[in-house]
Amino acid sequence: MSELRGRISGCGSYVPEFILSNAGIEKMVETTDAWITARTGIKQRRITLNEKTSVVAAKAAKEALAAASVSPRDIDLVITGTVTPDMVFPSTSCFVQQELGIRPGIPAFDISAACSGFLYALDCADKYIRAGGVKKALVIGVDIFSRILDWTDRATCVLFGDGAGAVVLTETRGKSGILSSHIHSDGRQWEMLYTPGSIGSNPFEERKHLPGPRNAYLKMKGNETFKVAVRTMGGAIKEELQANSLKPSDIALLIPHQANIRIIDAVGERLGLSSGQVFSNIDRYGNTSAASIPIALDEALKAGKIKKGDIVMFVSFGGGLTWASAAVRW
Ligand code: UT7
């Protein structure tokens, strides 16, 4: 009998209806479809005009529960990776618990790891399952970056989109499931990518940061972040391969965080992967932060790109800095 671990038994995703194309962005800032396409691979992104993060998350979670044929009453744990929650507190997970009628009393909490949020949450949920006690966990990645972007800054506003993805992780002793996962961070490099907007620095100051002057929006040193992302994600996949005595050719599908098609291609090249081994949907959604991997996984599953026994690899990189990876046998 294999060791106790989590197996992805269902996946779901949700992206808002409104499509903001590169042509639409051309009307907002000084940019071109040609520049965005060539430098990022993005053609369009989804933007939610009026939905809350928890509502977007709950839609993806509902689909994941249905795909896994699991009732909300059977969920033992909810973990959401997000840096754009509805409120400072309660957590997005608590709102999702209420929205979906998940059993009161179970633990529900959020993880802040920016674009690595989903893999941090997956790693955490898998470890709860391995420790015993949790049989079914709902793991969500959701972000609404459109609300933390400076829509006058062409260097960042063209890159991101909104959405959510979710999986149900079910206890198993079978051969399939999460073989290993690793999460990392390096706080020394936080200034590479961050969004200010805090609870303030003194108790009596006016809460000027709400709703937020220009300086409350996302900031990124794009060029440096690009290089660190390629190096770090390449290293993270190697760590996962080593942990399981696998070779790059054993990977049936790599689902990387969708930040930039040039980053994705460079990571694939570093490992000698063929284009068929690497999944990308960045052209349609841009960078959806914590949602990007579960949205991509959901699309890959629906497109029949993953079959039983396949080795699927996830890798992410984001603000913190944070990076994470997971190897899964389907
Ligand atoms: O998810 C978390 C991790 N995020 C990432 O990993 C993102 C990493 N970074 C990137 O993807 C890329 O660095 C960007 C897409 C953000 C930028 O691409 P780049 O090839 O690194 O461009 P750059 O920042 O070096 O800028 C090149 C030029 C600049 O003009 P000059 O100084 O050469 O005259 C920019 O002002 O492109 C200009 N530029 C633009 N031009 C048209 C920057 N943004 C735009 C734009 N449209 N939207």
Side-chain angles (χ1 to χ4, degrees):
M1 202 159 55
S2 302
E3 62 187 297
L4 196 59
R5 60 163 72 101
R7 178 179 69 86
I8 294 174
S9 54
C11 185
S13 65
Y14 172 77
V15 287
E17 230 172 276
F18 178 70
I19 296 174
L20 179 58
S21 66
N22 288 351
I25 289 213
E26 280 176 358
K27 297 192 186 98
M28 301 165 69
V29 287
E30 203 184 322
T31 190
T32 59
D33 170 45
W35 191 96
I36 302 172
T37 306
R39 305 311 293 167
T40 72
I42 300 164
K43 297 297 286 181
Q44 61 181 49
R45 67 288 292 143
R46 303 296 186 103
I47 303 291
T48 178
L49 304 173
N50 50 21
E51 291 164 303
K52 288 181 187 168
T53 300
S54 60
V55 170
V56 170
K59 286 182 178 175
K62 202 171 173 183
E63 204 183 280
L65 289 166
S69 302
V70 165
S71 155
R73 289 186 304 278
D74 295 328
I75 290 294
D76 306 312
L77 168 69
V78 183
I79 312 181
T80 303
T82 188
V83 285
T84 48
D86 296 358
M87 299 184 187
V88 174
F89 67 85
S91 70
T92 309
S93 292
C94 285
F95 283 124
V96 170
Q97 180 186 20
Q98 179 216 29
E99 177 88 11
L100 297 184
I102 291 170
R103 219 169 61 243
I106 62 132
F109 57 92
D110 291 0
I111 286 184
S112 167
C115 300
S116 299
F118 174 74
L119 290 188
Y120 263 62
L122 191 72
D123 173 89
C124 188
D126 181 53
K127 287 185 165 102
Y128 267 96
I129 287 175
R130 284 170 187 260
V134 167
K135 293 186 189 310
K136 288 183 174 59
L138 179 60
V139 180
I140 304 168
V142 60
D143 268 311
I144 299 189
F145 264 36
S146 60
R147 307 220 175 119
I148 57 165
L149 292 175
D150 178 350
W151 285 99
T152 66
D153 175 20
R154 69 175 185 175
T156 52
C157 77
V158 304
L159 302 173
F160 298 93
D162 303 334
V167 299
V168 174
L169 210 57
T170 301
E171 175 194 78
T172 181
R173 283 192 186 273
K175 283 197 159 38
S176 61
I178 297 184
L179 302 177
S180 62
S181 58
H182 295 85
I183 60 175
H184 300 281
S185 61
D186 181 359
R188 293 172 306 176
Q189 302 191 72
W190 71 269
E191 280 178 289
M192 199 99 76
L193 175 55
Y194 66 100
T195 304
S198 60
I199 57 165
S201 53
N202 100 49
F204 307 110
E205 111 192 314
E206 250 184 89
R207 301 180 76 209
K208 287 197 185 104
H209 56 288
L210 292 175
R214 280 267 112 71
N215 74 6
Y217 297 126
L218 179 143
K219 302 190 188 341
M220 178 169 68
K221 293 178 184 164
N223 230 277
E224 288 169 53
T225 308
F226 188 105
K227 289 177 207 147
V228 183
V230 173
R231 202 175 55 239
T232 308
M233 289 207 282
I237 297 164
K238 284 185 188 153
E239 180 180 28
E240 222 60 68
L241 289 171
Q242 213 168 2
N244 297 286
S245 304
L246 294 169
K247 317 179 283 304
S249 58
D250 294 323
I251 301 175
L253 198 63
L254 169 67
I255 302 185
H257 169 51
Q258 308 284 308
N260 186 319
I261 194 65
R262 293 186 295 134
I263 295 177
I264 294 169
D265 289 346
V267 169
E269 271 166 37
R270 275 190 168 218
L271 288 146
L273 302 178
S274 69
S275 58
Q277 282 175 283
V278 185
F279 189 84
S280 175
N281 60 4
I282 191 167
D283 55 328
R284 280 164 293 130
Y285 305 117
N287 180 346
T288 55
S289 183
S292 93
I293 289 177
I295 291 174
L297 171 64
D298 194 36
E299 282 207 348
L301 285 167
K302 284 173 180 157
K305 287 185 186 291
I306 300 173
K307 25 178 227 313
K308 197 168 166 45
D310 276 354
I311 297 292
V312 178
M313 199 76 88
F314 303 127
V315 69
S316 68
F317 175 84
L321 296 176
T322 57
W323 60 102
S325 52
V328 178
R329 185 183 291 110
W330 215 261

